[in-house]
Amino acid sequence: MTARLTAAPTPAGAGTTPPAAPLADPRFRRLLGAGWSALPAAVRQRFGKRLGPGQSANYAGEVVLCRMSLAGWLLAHAARLIGAPLPLDRGGGVAAVVSVTEDGASGGQVWTRVYARRRGFPQVIHSAKRFAGATGLEEYLGGGVAIALAVSPIAGGIRFASDHYVLVLGQRRLRLPALLAPGRLTIDHVDCGDGSFLFSLALHHPLLGELIHQISRFHDTKDISHD
């Protein structure tokens, strides 16, 4: 005779706390102005929710392609000194995960990107989007380096484009001269209409041309709430 093991029933409402719904977030709406209403509903949903303590928005997918010139490869590896904010490997077909949480210290968001590598441990990139600065949005990369971003609507999504680079030295903020900047950075978020979106990163230097171009495809996953 075979014994059957069954879990004891859990009393209704005991030991379970339903996750809190994300709060409405007007921060990106304010940056885009009238362009906000033209965005696809899925894009407004991703950028229009504010995560509370213990909550994260998570997206999983893969790197479709990543190409880089020799100068781009050298720059990406030199940037490891400030936390490796640029992709390190050429090619594609590797897994990728993005997690977004609120940054209580700055009132912005922390973005964590994990890219699998064909050899070795995955590359982990941390950056913080801060709703401050001359353009209203900065991405802090680490090592005292930040990028002032201009935000604009594009067909199917949003574009974040570098306006200028900033060195943060304690309480001092120094705008990096254009001649010393690594080039114009554009990051596009374009909805695909099936619960997925394309994330593309392009870095173009005025003299050296295209340094890096990466395209990844992600899909929405259920937001996570940690008790």
Side-chain angles (χ1 to χ4, degrees), residues 1 21 29 40 46 63 67 82 87 96 101 108 124 127 150 174 185 188 195 223:
M1 181 175 180
R29 181 197 296 261
R46 294 182 194 115
V63 177
R67 63 175 181 254
I82 61 169
T101 57
V124 181
S127 66
L174 304 176
L185 178 72
D188 291 348
D223 294 347

Side-chain angles (χ1 to χ4, degrees), residues 80-201:
R80 297 173 79 167
L81 294 172
I82 61 169
L86 295 171
L88 297 174
D89 296 332
R90 297 182 177 95
V94 295
V97 177
V98 173
S99 180
V100 183
T101 57
E102 284 293 313
D103 181 5
S106 72
Q109 297 177 331
V110 174
W111 289 59
T112 301
R113 304 169 182 87
V114 182
Y115 296 116
R117 307 181 71 185
R118 299 196 182 279
R119 295 183 180 179
F121 290 109
Q123 179 185 2
V124 181
I125 299 174
H126 300 287
S127 66
K129 283 186 168 61
R130 299 172 175 176
F131 297 89
T135 63
L137 182 65
E138 284 186 349
E139 184 135 12
Y140 181 74
L141 306 179
V145 178
I147 309 173
L149 296 171
V151 187
S152 60
I154 56 175
I158 299 176
R159 169 166 291 174
F160 303 89
S162 61
D163 183 83
H164 59 274
Y165 294 78
V166 178
L167 293 179
V168 182
L169 304 173
Q171 298 299 317
R172 300 186 63 190
R173 296 169 53 85
L174 304 176
R175 181 167 174 162
L176 195 66
L179 290 176
L180 299 179
R184 177 174 170 80
L185 178 72
T186 58
I187 298 171
D188 291 348
H189 176 113
V190 178
D191 189 64
C192 297
D194 58 356
S196 69
F197 60 90
L198 292 178
F199 170 91
S200 65
L201 178 151

Side-chain angles (χ1 to χ4, degrees), residues 19-23 50-57 100-102 223-226:
L23 304 173
R50 185 162 191 164
L51 299 163
Q55 293 181 320
S56 62
V100 183
T101 57
E102 284 293 313
D223 294 347
I224 295 176
S225 179
H226 303 284

